[in-house]
Amino acid sequence: MNALLLDRIHFAFTVTYHYLFPQLTMGLALLMVVMKLIALRTSDGRWNQAARFWARIFAINFLLGVVTGIPMEFQFGTNWSEFSRLTGGVIGQPLAMEGIFAFFLESTFLGLFLFGEKRLTRLQHLGAAAMVWVGSWISGFFIIVTDAWMQHPLAYHVLENGTYEVASFWKFMLNPWAWIQYAHNMCGAVVTASFVVAATGAFYLLEKRHEEFGRLFLRLGVIAGLISCVIQIFPTGDLHGRYVARYQPAAIAGMEGLFQTRKGAPIVLIGQPDERTQQIDNPLAVNDVLSFLIYGTTHAEVKGLDAFPPDQWPSALPLLYYSYHIMAGLGTWFLLLMAVAAVLLWRGKLYSTRWILWPILLSFPLPYIANTAGWMTTEIGRQPWLVYGLIRTSQGYSAHVSAGNALFTLLGFLGLYSVLSILWIVIVYRFILTGPATSADALPGPGTPTLTTA
Amino acid sequence: MGFVWFWIVAVMIAAYVVLDGFDLGVGILSAFLARAEDDRRTLIRSIGPVWDGNEVWLLAGGGTLYFAFPLLYASSFSGFYLPLMIVLWLLICRGASIELRMHTDHEVWRTFFDGLFFLSSALLAIFFGAALANVIRGVPLGADEYFFLPLWTNWRVGAQPGILDWYTVIGGVVALVALATHGALWLVLKAPGELEDRARRAASVLWIVLLLVTLISLPATIAVRPSALDNYRAHPILFLIPALVVAMLIGILSFTRQRKPLAAFLSSSLYLVFMLVGAAVGLYPTLLPSSTDPGRDITIAKALAGPHSLHVGIVWWSFGLALALIYFITSYRLFRGKVTAESGYGH
């Protein structure tokens, strides 16, 4: 294994693991604000307890997001030094801004939210929750702006020493690719949080434990889940797909497994791409649909991989194809599940319908897989470029760091993150078993002043 | 522009050292001061609401360094690859141990996380001190402005040094003692009852060690990098900085004796600031000196990002930092005073 490949695996592994946490906390932050809002408007103390319960789960996920996030910023310098040297004048900007505008906000108000419930008024405590939400979403924005510039570079110029600099700050921040990707990504985070909240509710009802909270969680999770699943597909997913098709046609051909350019291009639902024979094995495909999805007419011509020189093909083609299909397939399943659950909720049957509670419970890991697959689609689709059309991935890594050193730290991260995963699962599972109403704070009735669990 | 960004980055690093410094110090002392479970919980609670925000200064400072001096970021982060990765692992272990300890009722797990908290805090202090000493000593920069340092070679300060040599070990020890003192003074301020007395006694003992290692580190620095005195000789007024370092050391001792814990803590904060400012003055305008050929030094002029980025950066940086200061003042005011029994969350 050479250093380049190890550096790629290093980044891919650490960022994939890292993103397990923010996708939950960014979505959950919004849902906690909703819980605090309902508590304030209805004076129903149960919603405050619900918020406190989720705050505990939020806190541990946030912490793991922070400690696994620091290596991401460092890795630009450690493993991708040539990329950092060349583009620091562009992407250093949003990364520095993330620290200054988002992390200070998030960490301070999370401290107030978790430790300050007694010292703050109810409205102030809601405000602290809202600031945590805003901070986490600003943080997400700066990361997406960074990624969007690598996907779709604009508003830059090249200095004499060959490095890149931002030519227009506002054009860079208003990169349309960034805003579309941001909407799609944040919505995906809400899907994860909704499924986790709904699955916890389903677990309580099936287990006949904390049933009162089970109903609250299920209701909130299903409503938020349905809304986010719809927006995830239309308009955000649709827009994102069209944008990729316009600016990264080779990526879309790889995602769809379209080897040959053709009019009335089909969409492949299932099938295995074979790079050698350049066709899809065992295909289940619907003609014309891909042309329609991208161009709005069934006869439009869609460029296949044959339209591009092989050195510009996405370098891990089958992985790209599967990532995209897993994401899209799961997105469809989420919408179906949440739509049926919402109908049952509306008709007042959701809480007692076991055949829907079971799939809701079992589906909670799936949004994690879908979000990961979505990110893999976008990042593998960008290959072989590090910055699309400007810098190849093979130009960006740290040539002075030997493969042996890169493997050493990759193994270190693998080991450390394995241990963290076990602790994380044990602790979150224990929180869920203990439930919102602990002995330390018995159920307060409506209007009871808030209590902190000591 | 280069001058401004040099000092912006220096101020952010100093803010990190002062703020995360006291919670690292609490971690170092946790193994010695806490006797019963109550003490340990008090120690954690004294930093509970703020340590995470303190650590953000490292990220924000790192991000600002990346943005303002991309070449320095690229060269130093890849060159210091191994120690930086170890720092990352330590930060992960430390963060996890603080948070997870709050969520377990089992003696074995608590002891495990306490040990991890102590060990990671102490090693981080040593690594940060050694890192600064590495920058002062210089690294074997190649013609392409990159380098790679092993963890250690022959422990000597030569043309091909390792991360650890006798000089950087002194740097690590200074940081360990300075942050432990800083943490002790924080605990005098925050901890109630007997724990406060123990912290005060620890601060007095640590003070003597700190005085010694500080006095050793100054001539050692001049021996390793004689050019560190160039700026001082050109502007003798700058010799005020080492004088202030000594003044702050005296301040720590006398304010602790007069039972003025806030003044003592601020003295130790300023001690850290003046130590760092003194080092920065010695380096300026070099960012990372070469240990082989002064012509290969990475200087501000070589590493500075493009002018447009930096002009825009000044605007948002000033605005963002003003906001951050407001958050910090709000948070420290809200959690001011002694730690109380019910100021935790979770269990």
Side-chain angles (χ1 to χ4, degrees), chain A residues 91 151 197 216 223 230 258 263 270 305 308 310 358 372:
Chain A
I91 65 166
Q151 297 285 350
V197 171
L216 293 186
I223 293 171
V230 171
L258 188 70
K263 289 183 174 147
I270 301 175
L305 285 164
F308 308 96
W358 269 105
T372 303

Side-chain angles (χ1 to χ4, degrees), chain A residues 59-60 62 67 70 73 78-79 81-82 89 93 100-101 105 107 112 115 119 165-167 400 405 409 427 431 454, chain B residues 52-53 59 63 67 73-74 77 81 85 92 100 103 144 146 148 306-309 316-317 327 334 343 345 347:
Chain A
I60 184 156
F62 180 83
V67 296
I70 301 173
E73 187 187 289
T78 50
N79 297 64
S81 57
E82 195 53 18
Q93 187 127 314
I100 286 172
F101 286 97
L105 185 73
S107 58
L112 296 186
F115 291 87
R119 301 187 183 207
E165 192 207 8
V166 174
H400 286 253
N405 280 312
T409 57
I427 286 182
F431 280 155
Chain B
D52 182 34
L59 273 176
F67 155 71
Y73 190 79
F77 274 52
Y81 185 84
M85 288 291 170
I92 292 171
L100 299 180
H103 300 308
D144 58 357
Y146 284 110
F148 187 88
H308 180 73
S309 306
W316 60 250
W317 187 86
Y327 308 149
L334 190 78
S343 50
Y345 85 98
H347 281 280

Side-chain angles (χ1 to χ4, degrees), chain A residues 7 10 55-56 59-60 62-64 66-97 99-101 103-112 114-116 118-120 131 157 159 161 164-169 398 400-402 405-413 416-417 420 423-424 427 430-431 452-454, chain B residues 12 41 45 48-49 51-64 66-68 70-71 73-75 77-82 84-93 95-96 99-100 102-106 109 112-113 144-148 302 304-310 312-313 316-317 319-321 323-324 327-328 330-331 333-336 338 340-347:
Chain A
D7 285 332
H10 205 286
R56 286 200 286 268
I60 184 156
F62 180 83
L63 181 274
L64 290 172
V66 170
V67 296
T68 58
I70 301 173
M72 303 323 304
E73 187 187 289
F74 276 43
Q75 267 180 88
F76 283 106
T78 50
N79 297 64
W80 296 93
S81 57
E82 195 53 18
F83 168 62
S84 296
R85 188 181 72 82
L86 290 172
T87 64
V90 180
I91 65 166
Q93 187 127 314
L95 293 176
M97 292 179 85
I100 286 172
F101 286 97
F103 292 154
F104 281 130
L105 185 73
E106 262 181 303
S107 58
T108 308
F109 285 96
L110 184 63
L112 296 186
L114 293 177
F115 291 87
K118 269 190 174 173
R119 301 187 183 207
L120 299 170
M131 293 305 252
H157 59 79
L159 298 175
N161 59 5
Y164 292 80
E165 192 207 8
V166 174
S168 160
F169 176 76
S398 301
H400 286 253
V401 177
S402 68
N405 280 312
L407 182 59
F408 172 69
T409 57
L410 173 61
L411 292 173
F413 275 108
L416 193 55
Y417 285 1
L420 277 189
L423 294 172
W424 171 57
I427 286 182
R430 266 192 36 196
F431 280 155
T452 311
T453 51
Chain B
M12 295 189 81
R41 295 176 76 122
R45 280 189 190 129
W51 74 269
D52 182 34
N54 295 343
E55 209 167 287
V56 170
W57 286 94
L58 178 66
L59 273 176
T64 309
Y66 185 10
F67 155 71
L71 170 64
Y73 190 79
S75 174
F77 274 52
S78 59
F80 294 130
Y81 185 84
L82 290 171
L84 275 177
M85 288 291 170
I86 294 171
V87 162
L88 289 173
W89 296 342
L90 291 170
L91 286 171
I92 292 171
C93 288
E99 178 73 20
L100 299 180
M102 291 197 278
H103 300 308
T104 175
D105 301 321
H106 299 283
W109 279 109
F112 172 72
F113 287 130
D144 58 357
E145 285 151 346
Y146 284 110
F147 68 98
F148 187 88
K302 263 191 213 169
L304 198 62
H308 180 73
S309 306
L310 295 175
V312 176
W316 60 250
W317 187 86
F319 176 62
L321 209 76
L323 283 177
Y327 308 149
F328 266 74
T330 312
S331 177
R333 274 184 65 87
L334 190 78
F335 295 109
R336 71 181 177 274
K338 294 280 182 192
T340 51
E342 68 278 4
S343 50
Y345 85 98
H347 281 280

Side-chain angles (χ1 to χ4, degrees), chain A residues 13-302:
Chain A
F13 169 68
T14 48
V15 80
T16 302
Y17 188 78
H18 165 64
Y19 195 61
L20 294 176
F21 307 108
Q23 64 176 294
L24 178 69
T25 53
M26 291 189 299
L28 201 52
L30 176 63
L31 296 186
M32 289 194 313
V33 173
V34 172
M35 291 178 209
K36 294 295 294 182
L37 259 177
I38 300 175
L40 195 71
R41 304 237 12 190
T42 62
S43 290
D44 182 345
R46 291 175 312 167
W47 283 105
N48 265 328
Q49 267 183 301
R52 224 171 286 141
F53 167 76
W54 285 106
R56 286 200 286 268
I57 291 177
F58 179 91
I60 184 156
N61 279 280
F62 180 83
L63 181 274
L64 290 172
V66 170
V67 296
T68 58
I70 301 173
M72 303 323 304
E73 187 187 289
F74 276 43
Q75 267 180 88
F76 283 106
T78 50
N79 297 64
W80 296 93
S81 57
E82 195 53 18
F83 168 62
S84 296
R85 188 181 72 82
L86 290 172
T87 64
V90 180
I91 65 166
Q93 187 127 314
L95 293 176
M97 292 179 85
E98 188 197 20
I100 286 172
F101 286 97
F103 292 154
F104 281 130
L105 185 73
E106 262 181 303
S107 58
T108 308
F109 285 96
L110 184 63
L112 296 186
F113 181 65
L114 293 177
F115 291 87
E117 191 167 356
K118 269 190 174 173
R119 301 187 183 207
L120 299 170
T121 66
R122 283 157 35 126
L123 196 62
Q124 283 172 332
H125 198 238
L126 166 67
M131 293 305 252
V132 172
W133 167 55
V134 170
S136 67
W137 282 47
I138 292 177
S139 170
F141 175 74
F142 284 122
I143 293 304
I144 300 266
V145 163
T146 308
D147 184 63
W149 190 79
M150 294 163 68
Q151 297 285 350
H152 183 50
L154 42 69
Y156 65 88
H157 59 79
V158 184
L159 298 175
E160 276 170 26
N161 59 5
T163 66
Y164 292 80
E165 192 207 8
V166 174
S168 160
F169 176 76
W170 288 111
K171 267 195 193 150
F172 172 50
M173 286 291 155
L174 297 174
N175 185 349
W177 187 295
W179 287 86
I180 294 167
Q181 193 183 345
Y182 181 61
H184 191 55
N185 184 72
M186 300 321 279
C187 200
V190 180
V191 173
T192 298
S194 306
F195 271 67
V196 167
V197 171
T200 307
F203 176 69
Y204 286 163
L205 292 181
L206 289 169
E207 180 77 11
K208 301 201 179 5
R209 191 198 263 256
H210 317 300
E211 285 173 271
E212 196 181 356
F213 285 100
R215 287 189 285 274
L216 293 186
F217 293 167
L218 205 53
R219 192 161 83 216
L220 178 64
V222 166
I223 293 171
L226 180 65
I227 296 169
S228 54
C229 286
V230 171
I231 302 174
Q232 188 67 2
I233 296 169
F234 189 86
T236 67
D238 175 59
L239 269 174
H240 198 354
R242 284 167 195 253
Y243 228 77
V244 175
R246 178 146 44 131
Y247 293 104
Q248 296 185 354
I252 214 91
M255 284 156 61
E256 300 285 0
L258 188 70
F259 287 99
Q260 283 84 28
T261 303
R262 58 180 285 187
K263 289 183 174 147
I267 194 152
V268 178
L269 301 177
I270 301 175
Q272 297 79 38
D274 185 333
E275 282 182 278
R276 213 164 21 91
T277 60
Q278 304 217 350
Q279 61 181 7
I280 302 284
D281 295 338
N282 318 309
L284 180 63
V286 189
N287 275 333
D288 300 343
V289 174
L290 186 58
S291 293
F292 178 75
L293 283 177
I294 297 176
Y295 297 105
T297 102
T298 52
H299 296 293
E301 183 182 273
V302 180

